[in-house]
Amino acid sequence: KHLEDTSTDVKQQAVRTIASLARKVQEPQLEEIADKLATHIINKTDEEKRDIGSIGLKTLVGVVNQQTAPAVLKRVTPKLQIGIQSDTEVAHYCLEILNDLLKNFGMLMQRELPALQTSILPMLASPIAATRKRVSICVASLAICAPDQLFANLVSAIFVSMGEAKSPDEIRTFIQTIAGISRSVGHRLGRELKRIIPLLIELCESPKHQEDVEMLENCLQAFESFVLRCPKEIGPHLDKIVSIALKFIKYDPNYADDEDEGDEMEEDQQEEDEFSDDGDYSGDDDNSWKVRSAAVKCLAAVIRTRPEMLKELYQAVLPQLITRFREREEIVKMEIFSALKDLLRQTQGRTANPDAMDEDHPSGSDFHHLPNTVVSMLDVDKLVKAITKQMKDKSFKTKERCLELLRELILVLNGGLNNYLVSLVPDIAKAIEKSAKTSLKVEALTFLCLLLEKHPGADFSKHVKDLGPSVLASVTDSNYKISAVALRVCGRFTTAKHGGKRLLQGEDQFIQNMYACAFGRLNSQDQDLEVKEAAILTMGEIIATLGDIVGPSNLNGCLPVLLERLRNETTRVTSLKAIATLAKSELQIDISIICKDVVLECSTFLRKNDRALKQAALMTLNSLIASYGKLIGDSLYETVMKELTILVSDAELHLTHLALQLCSCMVSKAPNENVNLIHSYILPRVLVLLQSPLLQGIARNSLRSLFANLVQAGSGSKYKELLGQLLGIVDGGNQLSRQSLSSIAQCVSSLCGAVDDKERFTTLQGFINTLSNPSGPEQMKQLLLHCVGEIGREFDLSQFSLENVIMNSFTSSSEDTKAAASHALGSIAMGAISKYLPYILTQIESQAEYRYLLLQSLRQLITLKASEGGIGKGHDSLTGHMSTVMNLLMDQCDSDDEGVRSMVAECLGKLALIAPTEVLPNLKELITRESVETRATAVHSLKFTITDHAPVQELAACITDFLLLLKDDHIMVRRAVLTTLNSATHNKPALIRPLLKTDWLLPALYGESVYKQDLVRTVNLGPFQHKVDDGAELRKLALAAMDTLLDKCAEQLDTSAFLHHLQDRLSDELDDIKQAAYQMLCKLAVREPFFVREVLDTLADPLKNVLNKKTKDNASPQDVERHNELQRSAMITVATLNKMHDSNTCHKFVSMYESILQDAKLKALLESVSNDTEGSTSAAMEF
């Protein structure tokens, strides 16, 4: 009623209430409101009513949901169809509303879509530009929800009309429409690119369109959209698109410019402002820059989405981008800088973790960490000179972009600008002057900080006078960002060295001024936290490095302020880092006025529920006690020790490591005060910790150091007591794991290593006597065997008759005792190879019953030798035994015992680390033998060779021969190849990357991921039949290898083919395989969303089947748990796919997602996984 009111204000108020009413009224009232508004919008005579109707309908469409929308559509759509055919103004209103309806509720308008398409398509040829624009947008929205056949008709109709179009305006409209469809549903348009691309290329190359700026711009924008939205289908056309974009990046028909790219960058060229107006030329009416802008954006799209084309882009695009630095339009120039920045970032991503085999440059090179191909293509000299020239431009935006490019270049090269400091510093100095723009100053200071950080040893001394005053002025700047970055630059100046000396040597006045500026910021209360933290860290570096120049009076004023900041909750972690820097200073700064207070504060931090704070406090205490242990009294030591007690546990092993490291430091620096404290407070916790199977790594190493220091500090008087306590852990009757026994044994070994030979001999003799007693407790025997082995690793025990003790232990009824004896024999042989290695080899041949255990001993010995980095020298070397060991292992490759073969494979693999030139040729010979077991063992052994310290060059020469066995007829061999492939890809991906370009590796790998009926056999179990899938393990291993390839070699993979094979595994019979497929699908959805969106509809059914599957009524709890975990994994995948851009354009997926929202249980699961994965970069992290 009020919509008909004569007062405009009343009408506007009535429209504002529509949003609230639509959520509350019943369906009949909602239909009435929609009908009234639709009637207003098609009113031909009253423009005010049309405005009211348009605003009201847009509001209504924005608030109705999928349940209430049909009522609105029923009343509105027929009137919109009428309005579209009405006069121009009414049609414009109706097209805008129709576009909103199609975007929001297109899936509910399936019946009306054919009629709507028929109505609006002819309007693309309208003589009115505004109409054509609205229709083009509307068609793009219609393409989202159109069924496949209707979509095909739509695209065909556009092609036909485009071919019949006479005027350039019509052609441009059709190109805009195609580009709009591509942006909306590129995955659906992809199959039509083979028709579209040639047509657009023809338009771009046609002489009659070379001055049609809009036509060229539209074609290039369409190319950009295809590159981004149709990644699979655009591949064959990329070279031509890049060529066209490079042509039009220079498009400027109204401006005569020298096209000689080489002369542009010559050093001797006059330094003039080439971007100022030239002669009488005026660019006010020139819009050719739009073509250049579209061309640059098209190139940028290729750069961002095609990392595999990096080499081609460097060769073709990089020189052109550098040349186009002369671009006179600032908008286009910014886009050129952005494209070049993208190219450098792609380079950085490809070279961040190079493999050893890529590092074949001289170590002295600035670019030693980059592949040769990249270094040769990245013309650093030309690029830096071009950027330096642009730094003299009048535009501050240009200078900012130049500094951003230089930052990216430093990150790519990890430095590499030593030779350009002289040319760069003047421009940096100018950019940080007081009059410079704030954003430019921040960028320049950030770059300067990175320049100092990435060029250690560079001679900046002659530039301090040029940069110093402006940097110090920036420290006092009112802008917090400038001040914070300037403080960090001061810190870099402070710590920088040249020729082994301090950079600021002889700059006493500058140092005093820098100290004063930093202290002013440190002492100020009312400033941003970022500035406070930067001031604290910088002051710590100044005092630690330049304290002798700063002087005692300044120190006495600064240290109390640091203590005050330490007591502040917001700055205490930063203050701890600064104080730790002070404590580690070579100048031995006198901090006695705050030392005890700092220690007391740190001890209180240890009880806080803040991991970062406790970690920083422990590291600071360690540094303080190492340097100033004598300043700390007994009471303070006891206070610290009490706080450390709670940290010694297996709950947080890194903090345990730091706590034990601190204890060890306290014993070393102040033994008289701390040995007894350790025994009273720490040792009881340590004895409990040793019983944990989680103790390992650096925490265990710190514990070993503590025991050794305790013995040394006590001059051996504590040795027997500590030894008794360690052995007493087993006497307590606790059943300990192998890991715990090994940890205790290593601590015993540390104790024995800290005493003299006589004491050690007595201890070992006691161990042997206990082991010789057949009635002794098994767990004590296991512990003593581990102890003997650990001691034997470090000392020659050939004087003891340990072989009899070991062989007697092999007869034990306890498997743990046998394993401990085997481990001990290998470790003892490490310290006395000349005696025990021949013994082990002889026993392997003669003692078939104990062959597996003896092979374990041999493996232990080889592993220990391999960890040393090669064959040793002298009498303890493997040199004289290599051929014997090799022949024995090769003879055992075809053993009937799978355990023996597995052990032989590991021995051979570790042996190849020691002598690759001897072992690898023998392994190549083994893979040619007829025995299936021998081939499988030889291939499997390579898994243990390909580690962090693998002989890469030797492996690269032969790995193809091993992986070709992926075509072997026998499952056992293929299983071994897949395992080795996965290991190689994970540890040394550079070995695998060249093989991914071959025509056999990936097809063979994908073939193993396929379900094969001929590998399924039926086993009769009495009255029942059970199906056994022999190919299940192969599929699991193949998927594991694919997952590793996706992580390590993604740029070498054809994502489309990879995804095709992955899709099939979503319907695999095994839940484990489905979950592995879900995990990879989530990764692809984040990394390659365009490829995944192309097949999103085909993913809906397998995911829906899993989510709707019910467990049987009699299912076991384990089956229910597995089922729930599978459904959770599937739902995580759905949530991840739904987050992809334009996932709402895939009908079947949208329908499945809506069905999930209708099911209360599934909706709850979806909300649960969405909350769990909130904020993560990938939902795959949940797996």
Side-chain angles (χ1 to χ4, degrees), residues 519-623:
F519 182 74
R521 283 299 191 184
L522 177 69
N523 201 31
S524 178
Q525 297 284 354
D526 54 341
Q527 57 190 355
D528 191 85
L529 178 61
E530 186 178 352
V531 178
K532 289 180 182 178
E533 291 181 341
I536 292 168
L537 292 174
T538 301
M539 184 58 75
E541 291 168 339
I542 291 174
I543 297 175
T545 309
L546 307 169
D548 54 337
I549 300 175
V550 169
S553 59
N554 285 331
L555 289 179
N556 291 335
C558 172
L559 291 176
V561 179
L562 275 178
L563 180 60
E564 184 182 341
R565 296 291 172 268
L566 180 65
R567 289 168 174 162
N568 187 301
E569 186 176 353
T570 59
T571 55
R572 58 193 182 188
V573 173
T574 308
S575 301
L576 285 169
K577 295 177 182 177
I579 292 170
T581 303
L582 288 180
K584 289 183 282 190
S585 170
E586 297 176 356
L587 301 176
Q588 288 292 302
I589 304 297
D590 181 10
I591 62 170
S592 56
I593 60 174
I594 66 167
C595 185
K596 292 184 179 180
D597 291 326
V598 169
V599 172
L600 189 59
E601 288 295 325
C602 287
S603 66
T604 62
F605 294 159
L606 297 180
R607 69 176 77 117
K608 302 290 185 182
N609 189 24
D610 184 335
R611 185 181 184 278
L613 178 63
K614 287 190 281 193
Q615 182 173 322
L618 287 167
M619 296 172 71
T620 303
L621 281 170
N622 201 1
S623 301

Side-chain angles (χ1 to χ4, degrees), residues 859-1055:
R859 178 195 62 179
Q860 173 69 2
L861 171 59
I862 294 173
T863 301
L864 293 174
K865 289 301 296 182
S867 65
E868 289 186 341
I871 299 178
K873 302 291 184 181
H875 73 283
D876 281 343
S877 168
L878 284 176
T879 304
H881 307 282
M882 183 61 70
S883 60
T884 307
V885 173
M886 193 68 210
N887 291 333
L888 184 146
L889 292 173
M890 290 174 67
D891 289 342
Q892 298 297 325
C893 282
D894 60 351
S895 171
D896 294 334
D897 188 333
E898 185 177 354
V900 169
R901 294 200 306 272
S902 178
M903 200 57 59
V904 167
E906 190 167 352
C907 290
L908 286 169
K910 296 292 177 65
L911 204 60
L913 288 172
I914 300 173
T917 55
E918 295 180 45
V919 177
L920 290 176
N922 285 316
L923 293 180
K924 280 184 66 176
E925 188 274 324
L926 288 176
I927 63 175
T928 63
R929 295 189 180 180
E930 292 185 6
S931 169
V932 172
E933 290 79 6
T934 299
R935 296 200 304 276
T937 303
V939 175
H940 191 210
S941 68
L942 215 61
K943 168 188 173 183
F944 303 100
T945 306
I946 305 175
T947 60
D948 291 340
H949 305 291
V952 178
Q953 299 298 333
E954 292 84 353
L955 284 168
C958 67
I959 193 169
T960 302
D961 297 320
F962 289 89
L963 295 185
L964 277 169
L965 290 181
L966 198 53
K967 300 178 180 180
D968 197 279
D969 295 334
H970 205 281
I971 290 177
M972 182 188 298
V973 179
R974 300 204 301 276
R975 185 166 60 233
V977 176
L978 289 170
T979 303
T980 300
L981 173 62
N982 192 19
S983 176
T985 308
H986 179 77
N987 293 307
K988 291 294 175 185
L991 288 171
I992 303 301
R993 288 192 184 110
L995 302 181
L996 296 177
K997 300 175 182 178
T998 63
D999 59 357
W1000 61 269
L1001 181 58
L1002 284 175
L1005 174 62
Y1006 294 150
E1008 294 302 329
S1009 71
V1010 176
Y1011 177 83
K1012 297 174 182 176
Q1013 185 62 44
D1014 59 323
L1015 294 180
V1016 179
R1017 54 191 171 87
T1018 302
V1019 179
N1020 292 319
L1021 300 174
F1024 305 103
Q1025 287 187 334
H1026 177 62
K1027 287 187 177 181
V1028 177
D1029 185 359
D1030 292 329
E1033 188 64 24
L1034 287 176
R1035 297 203 303 281
K1036 291 179 185 178
L1037 291 171
L1039 282 181
M1042 289 169 63
D1043 192 20
T1044 309
L1045 283 171
L1046 186 60
D1047 290 336
K1048 299 290 185 177
C1049 309
E1051 71 280 357
Q1052 301 285 333
L1053 300 175
D1054 180 343
T1055 306

Side-chain angles (χ1 to χ4, degrees), residues 1 23 56 66 77 82 118 130 174 190 237 297 391 426 451 526 535 574 639 644 654 669 799 827 843 937 1073 1088 1099:
K1 180 180 178 181
R23 296 188 181 96
Q66 296 290 326
T77 305
I82 296 171
T118 303
F174 288 121
H237 309 285
K297 288 179 180 178
M391 284 292 294
L451 192 68
D526 54 341
T574 308
T639 300
L644 288 177
H654 185 66
K669 296 299 178 180
Q799 58 185 309
S827 298
Q843 294 299 313
T937 303
I1073 292 177
E1088 303 284 355
L1099 304 177

Side-chain angles (χ1 to χ4, degrees), residues 543-830:
I543 297 175
T545 309
L546 307 169
D548 54 337
I549 300 175
V550 169
S553 59
N554 285 331
L555 289 179
N556 291 335
C558 172
L559 291 176
V561 179
L562 275 178
L563 180 60
E564 184 182 341
R565 296 291 172 268
L566 180 65
R567 289 168 174 162
N568 187 301
E569 186 176 353
T570 59
T571 55
R572 58 193 182 188
V573 173
T574 308
S575 301
L576 285 169
K577 295 177 182 177
I579 292 170
T581 303
L582 288 180
K584 289 183 282 190
S585 170
E586 297 176 356
L587 301 176
Q588 288 292 302
I589 304 297
D590 181 10
I591 62 170
S592 56
I593 60 174
I594 66 167
C595 185
K596 292 184 179 180
D597 291 326
V598 169
V599 172
L600 189 59
E601 288 295 325
C602 287
S603 66
T604 62
F605 294 159
L606 297 180
R607 69 176 77 117
K608 302 290 185 182
N609 189 24
D610 184 335
R611 185 181 184 278
L613 178 63
K614 287 190 281 193
Q615 182 173 322
L618 287 167
M619 296 172 71
T620 303
L621 281 170
N622 201 1
S623 301
L624 282 170
I625 292 171
S627 301
Y628 305 100
K630 295 179 180 179
L631 299 178
I632 302 171
D634 295 355
S635 60
L636 267 181
Y637 275 126
E638 185 170 6
T639 300
V640 173
M641 204 72 74
K642 288 179 180 178
E643 299 297 341
L644 288 177
T645 304
I646 193 64
L647 297 180
V648 181
S649 73
D650 61 357
E652 179 57 79
L653 285 180
H654 185 66
L655 292 180
T656 299
H657 150 66
L658 294 174
L660 293 171
Q661 191 179 57
L662 177 57
C663 290
S664 189
C665 180
M666 292 164 74
V667 171
S668 300
K669 296 299 178 180
N672 296 332
E673 296 89 341
N674 290 306
V675 169
N676 291 328
L677 291 175
I678 294 287
H679 278 267
S680 300
Y681 293 105
I682 303 300
L683 199 55
R685 300 284 299 183
V686 164
L687 297 178
V688 174
L689 176 64
L690 281 167
Q691 300 176 43
S692 170
L694 302 177
L695 180 61
Q696 58 183 322
I698 56 174
R700 184 168 58 193
N701 293 338
S702 298
L703 186 53
R704 295 185 65 179
S705 298
L706 175 59
F707 275 109
N709 286 340
L710 283 172
V711 173
Q712 292 165 354
S715 301
S717 59
K718 296 287 185 180
Y719 169 69
K720 290 185 178 179
E721 180 184 347
L722 291 170
L723 181 61
Q725 288 178 310
L726 288 174
L727 298 179
I729 296 175
V730 174
D731 284 338
N734 298 324
Q735 285 299 316
L736 304 178
S737 65
R738 291 185 186 181
Q739 182 74 14
S740 299
L741 293 175
S742 177
S743 297
I744 298 169
Q746 290 182 46
C747 291
V748 170
S749 173
S750 297
L751 288 178
C752 291
V755 297
D756 56 32
D757 293 343
K758 182 180 178 181
E759 191 72 55
R760 191 182 309 114
F761 180 89
T762 304
T763 301
L764 280 166
Q765 194 60 57
F767 289 170
I768 293 171
N769 292 338
T770 304
L771 287 169
S772 300
N773 181 5
S775 61
E778 288 295 323
Q779 193 163 49
M780 178 57 77
K781 288 183 179 181
Q782 294 162 21
L783 173 59
L784 295 182
L785 285 167
H786 280 292
C787 292
V788 170
E790 293 297 332
I791 297 169
R793 288 176 61 175
E794 308 295 333
F795 301 97
D796 187 346
L797 303 185
S798 56
Q799 58 185 309
F800 300 96
S801 299
L802 289 169
E803 56 269 31
N804 295 328
V805 174
I806 299 292
M807 292 305 293
N808 289 335
S809 298
F810 283 172
T811 64
S812 171
S813 59
S814 169
E815 292 298 325
D816 288 338
T817 302
K818 294 177 184 178
S822 173
H823 182 275
L825 180 57
S827 298
I828 293 166
M830 181 65 181

Side-chain angles (χ1 to χ4, degrees), residues 94-112:
C94 291
L95 287 168
E96 289 175 1
I97 300 300
L98 180 60
N99 183 54
D100 289 345
L101 289 176
L102 288 169
K103 285 197 295 186
N104 289 282
F105 309 111
M107 299 303 296
L108 303 176
M109 302 172 65
Q110 296 298 301
R111 291 183 180 178
E112 294 84 3

